[in-house]
Amino acid sequence: MAGFGVRSTGSPAHNGLISWLERRVSHLPGMSVRSERIPIQRWQPGPGLLLSGGAVPVASAIPYSAPGLRSGDLIHLPLGTPITAANARGKVVLRDFPPVDRGYLAEPLLDRDMIDAGTAGAAGVIVAFPFPHDQVRGYWDPHTGTHYRVPGVFIGSDAASKLQVGTRTTIGVLAARLPAVTRTLIATLPGQSAERIVLDTNTDGVGWVQENGTVGLLALAEHFARLPLRCRPRTLEFDFATAHLHRSSEGSEFRARALDTDYDAGSVAFAFVIEHLGTREFLPSNGSLRPTGAAELAGWFAGSPALAQAASVALAGRAVDRTFVLPGSDLPVPDRAPPQCSFGGIGTHFHSHLVPTMAMISGPWTLWAPSFGAEAVDHERMRRQVLAAGDAITALAPVARDQIAGPYLDLRRARAAGAPTCSHDLPPARAPR
């Protein structure tokens, strides 16, 4: 998977991975395969450029930032200071990367800054990491799929030391914006019942972590396809979804909307999402990210007692440590259906649509930093996680649908009666002016 390189949504590398997956699953006995196509305005990354009293090394272009070259005086705006026309028009804005516990938590702030810089008429945005260039080379976030109106670049701490506030600075992004069609691959393996267990992950990604769930899903598909029909009480659907790196067209959200309708028709038992498997923990130390020797903390989210019990038993059976079985990652809202919306990643789409859902996910610093390569993944741990996922699916396959659902049935009734529910709005395709 990692050999395809940066799999930006709808890119040749991404299409190549999807085609490779399609060939693999199409050859499995009994498997049928189809695609759901999604039109997008893709962003094909190229190098970033920064000139400020000489060339400054750029770690990567900020995803979906505007192509082109622009110049302006360099200003540093501390975190917490809004980017406005009064302080940023015509300027190149230097921001420090937010002081977050894990890099993925910075996405809302980065997204807000890029949008604000566009409406303010800034020349561009530079985000400086507290880590060296080699560790953040190729960094990819935000992944909203919102096309920004200014160029933006990431730089490492060593490059940031070369910048001088007040200096005339040129910032550039060499990238392409092109219409494209991307696709979600849906592979279906018949069981004794047409009622489906739906397994989902995304295919677009960078490096060895985001998104290695494709490898886990492929392994599960190969395992269950080898079993005789009597060992598959329910049909298994494997969704290799597109556009998680282009969330304005999130393929998993489109699948969740369809399953929401299908659930009422009785054709879905539950959904199970796997993401970011086998990750090692890296934490800041002395100005760089260093391995701690431990596994990255992980969540196995489960929306009902039956799902949570299956998760706990599977984790213990395969000795998967540092993993918490949780009902959600956000604060509960008592009168909402469901009280907790977030499952930490793309599992959120299914759970918030009130499809009974489990989701395995971690969020290490290496998630959007592909420079760590294979060092980011403990492959034995990844294998045990996938085995645990298979154990949970096997244990739940013969369990009655209503028992699996637990509180979801009441939540669906409450939603139908008018109870507030989670937002399913996707990010805008273009930043406002």
Side-chain angles (χ1 to χ4, degrees), residues 42-58:
R42 74 179 174 95
W43 186 84
Q44 181 64 31
L49 173 71
L50 191 57
L51 300 171
S52 184
V56 178
V58 170

Side-chain angles (χ1 to χ4, degrees), residues 367-408:
L367 176 60
W368 298 112
S371 59
F372 289 87
E375 185 185 3
V377 179
D378 177 342
H379 289 87
E380 174 53 30
R381 177 179 177 81
M382 182 179 184
R383 179 175 182 273
R384 283 186 283 113
Q385 287 176 314
V386 176
L387 287 168
D391 291 345
I393 293 163
T394 300
L396 290 163
V399 176
R401 182 171 176 270
D402 287 1
Q403 184 179 340
I404 291 172
Y408 282 101

